[in-house]
Amino acid sequence: MSLKNRKIIVGITGGIAAYKTPGLIRLLKKDGAEVQAVMTDAATKFITELTIETVSQRPVAREMFPKTRYVATHHIDLAEWADIFVVAPATANFVGKIASGICDDLLTTVICATKSPVMISPSMNSNMYLNPITQNNLKKLKSLGYIILDPNVGEMACETYGPGRMPEPHEIHQFVRQFFEKKKSLSKKKVLVTAGPCREPIDPVRFISNRSSGKMGFALALAAHNAGAEVTLISGPTSLAPEPGIELINVETTEQMHKAVQREFKKSHILIMAAAPADFKAGKIAGEKIKKAQRKSLSLSLSTTIDILEGLKKTKKKGQVVVGFALETDNALKNARAKLKSKDLDLIIVNSLKDGAPFDSDSNKVTLVGRTGRAESLPQMSKRELAEIIVTKISKLK
Ligand code: CTP
């Protein structure tokens, strides 16, 4: 039984394909899973609660505010209980609500509250499925990490022919199995990721910094964590929080990041240096706030900070993989290849500001350059998708 002890929430929305869902629940149960069904009101027009309760052997969750056994954190308990959500069938209305963050019933609220993976099987009339609004919603959900099962093409309940049919129960069962069986490409690996900007103080209230948001580094830490790695994230000041299970070390200055990286690198198989350390620091940090009264201008003398990656070249052991980033405004590839060589990197991810500034954006367009110098340009995509591609690439480096 490959789904033994897996906790699965099966969401059922109001589409004709709901008649197939009891078959799916039976297969999941037979395979060892615990199944909790959550139905929308519309779903109960197509299939009864009694049928679903009988096959799942549990009461159906449907009401946001049930009159009996009501606990205010009902939706959070469900959201935390599940190892995975499978919504089959998922109507255009449900897809639209999830993509817009609308929580107006138990199912949409629980999905909004969960950190578990969510698999969605859009099932609807072909015109509704192909409607650009539905397609945009599905694209958005995909880019946010939702798993979208493409519908089958065939004859629909409305006697039209096209895409929109919910896959058969045994097909969805296989998707769920494959999800859990997917070999974790970085299991037993220790991955060190750095993220965010560094701050170099000028006086007790002012600092020099840069525009890094930390989003790329946090996405990489999550992707490595999802690939089975033990992840330590060293981050400069950001407004982000890592997923539970990722160790976070907060630092502020480049010197602090340098010390933390040196200490943690010794224990790591892979380093992904996505942080933007400050390149310059104040030559002298004023002990008291620099007052502006009687000043027309202020000159700061700056000195360069330590280059963290450069410093690791001497300590890098055989088999350790080091990945860097390059942020360039001109001659992006030439400069990146030079950095790859001088910093002895296994892979460099090149951001060219000519392709648009990645700062604080949820998406990015990059080129990957490996040790051979060969460049692979990727299209614009979400930082989350990009992180998965980079982590897959890194897992194949040796
Ligand atoms: N880096 C580092 N220590 C620094 C500055 C940068 O380890 N003090 C790392 C970054 O995390 C990145 C890589 O070096 O992985 C390249 O950073 P980038 O800012 O593109 O280039 P620099 O090496 O700082 O060179 P320049 O500013 O001249 O482009």
Side-chain angles (χ1 to χ4, degrees), residues 90-161:
T91 58
N93 179 48
F94 168 83
V95 167
K97 286 200 287 189
I98 289 294
S100 315
I102 295 172
C103 311
D104 64 352
D105 60 14
L106 184 62
L107 183 59
T108 47
T109 308
V110 173
I111 287 183
C112 187
T114 194
K115 286 195 163 178
S116 300
V118 180
M119 200 175 259
I120 292 175
S121 173
S123 317
M124 62 201 75
N125 159 276
S126 305
N127 288 345
M128 292 174 84
Y129 175 68
L130 295 172
N131 184 312
I133 298 175
T134 309
Q135 287 298 313
N136 269 341
N137 288 335
L138 289 168
K139 207 168 140 199
K140 179 174 176 187
L141 289 176
K142 239 186 210 173
S143 77
L144 293 171
Y146 289 78
I147 306 158
I148 309 295
L149 306 182
D150 289 334
N152 290 347
V153 178
E155 194 179 338
M156 314 290 294
C158 49
E159 296 186 345
T160 54
Y161 188 90

Side-chain angles (χ1 to χ4, degrees), residues 36-55:
Q36 170 67 59
V38 180
M39 295 176 80
T40 63
D41 283 347
T44 62
K45 306 276 185 224
F46 293 88
I47 187 101
T48 68
E49 280 186 60
L50 183 62
T51 307
I52 299 297
E53 278 183 10
T54 309
V55 287

Side-chain angles (χ1 to χ4, degrees), residues 222-327:
L222 178 63
H225 172 73
N226 288 342
E230 192 183 312
V231 182
T232 301
L233 177 62
I234 300 174
S235 178
T238 74
S239 56
L240 307 170
E243 290 290 304
I246 296 176
E247 188 197 356
L248 177 67
I249 300 173
N250 286 307
V251 296
E252 193 146 322
T253 64
T254 303
E255 184 52 38
Q256 287 167 2
M257 184 172 276
H258 175 229
K259 285 206 171 111
V261 170
Q262 278 203 319
R263 188 180 65 236
E264 297 299 321
F265 183 61
K266 290 188 201 125
K267 307 179 236 165
S268 306
H269 298 101
I270 297 165
L271 164 66
I272 310 176
M273 191 75 199
D279 287 326
F280 301 99
K281 61 180 179 186
K284 188 169 158 288
I285 304 168
E288 306 298 332
K289 186 181 177 196
I290 302 171
K291 305 296 285 176
K292 69 171 187 286
Q294 282 121 40
R295 272 182 197 279
K296 283 221 164 62
S297 66
L298 170 69
S299 296
L300 284 176
S301 122
L302 302 178
S303 61
T304 52
T305 57
I306 188 146
D307 191 301
I308 302 172
L309 280 178
E310 280 278 351
L312 294 178
K313 280 197 306 195
K314 291 176 253 113
T315 52
K316 185 179 172 189
K317 287 194 285 285
K318 201 166 168 268
Q320 277 185 309
V321 171
V322 178
V323 177
F325 274 70
L327 181 62

Side-chain angles (χ1 to χ4, degrees), residues 188-205:
K188 302 206 175 77
K189 296 283 179 209
K190 286 192 175 208
V191 176
L192 179 61
V193 183
T194 66
C198 289
R199 287 179 181 171
E200 302 302 332
I202 296 170
D203 70 12
V205 294

